[in-house]
Amino acid sequence: MTPCSTQTPSLSIIIPAYNEARRLPLCLERVIAYLDQRGRTYEVLVVDDGSHDQTAQAVESVAHRCPHLRLIRLTSNMGKGAAVRRGMQAARGTYQLFADADGATPIEELARLESALLAGADLAIGSRALASQDPAFTVRARWHRSLLGTVFNNIVQRLGLRDITDTQCGFKLFRGSIAQDLFSVACVDGYAFDLELLYVARQRGYRLAEVPINWVDQPGSKVHPWRDGLVMLQELLAIRKRDEQGLYEPLIRPAPSTVEPALASVEPTHF
């Protein structure tokens, strides 16, 4: 892990990366440029999930120009959930976002999620499903992925995550104390980690806001909808069983939700 400053940043952004040497540099440049112009303290943590390509070197080349960028390297490929969990556990920000390395969700959409936290939510999740119902938003996805995603979300709602239209969007913002609480008990290493986080958040009564966002599908996705979808549904049943066994009992007591003064000036960004 690269060293960090001792100052507590306003925002931490965690980006899991597995063989992302090609797509990651542009994503990081856009993220850093956006955060720099906002004028608030931040850190970006890229978690290299045991990549076999030049992902780590790509991050290090950008880090030479950005002292707020940190690299965390896992010795082997553990899965997206494990990578996000490791990054969140190392994060120090008052607010903590995880975002995908492909940049499918423009970083400017962060302002929409921040507005939801400003309004009182404990966590805010990007939703392509809500956005697709509103002509003011742009959602571009391959038709078969949209169809399978709809079927998947319908099943997920029946199995315990009601009223959430998009559980899998890789753009979620948490109050720092809430993130640390949820990730202290999270254990799913694969793509179903989102389901686990949302399930536990619901069980604990956290205030969750689902926010429509602009999203454009990017080539090179590592998700296989049929195979991974079935695995995630099986994992959701396992999550419910672990809950019944008491494995999600709080390990820490989260601090009361507060609104950071710096967020009081956030205005929603519309595109």
Side-chain angles (χ1 to χ4, degrees), residues 135-213:
F137 291 86
T138 298
V139 177
R140 297 175 186 168
R142 286 166 283 180
W143 70 268
H144 69 284
R145 295 179 69 90
S146 296
L147 176 60
L148 291 173
T150 299
V151 172
F152 176 82
N153 282 316
N154 287 337
I155 297 174
V156 165
Q157 291 195 40
R158 292 177 180 273
L159 292 178
L161 283 174
R162 299 187 182 278
D163 304 322
I164 300 178
T165 64
D166 186 356
T167 60
Q168 299 310 118
C169 182
F171 203 75
K172 294 180 171 67
L173 178 67
F174 306 78
R175 297 183 186 276
S177 60
I178 304 301
Q180 295 307 310
D181 179 41
L182 294 176
F183 282 95
S184 71
V185 297
C187 59
V188 174
D189 290 339
Y191 291 118
F193 80 99
D194 299 85
L195 300 177
E196 182 181 41
L197 290 173
L198 298 177
Y199 183 90
V200 177
R202 275 288 176 81
Q203 294 299 97
R204 297 190 178 183
Y206 290 140
R207 294 164 294 181
L208 187 153
E210 192 171 5
V211 180
I213 56 169

Side-chain angles (χ1 to χ4, degrees), residues 52-83:
H52 301 299
D53 66 356
Q54 301 298 305
T55 293
Q57 290 81 353
V59 176
E60 289 169 345
S61 67
V62 178
H64 286 307
R65 307 187 303 275
C66 178
H68 308 295
L69 176 61
R70 300 166 57 195
L71 171 66
I72 300 174
R73 300 187 70 173
L74 303 185
T75 56
S76 61
N77 179 232
M78 303 292 293
K80 184 178 180 181

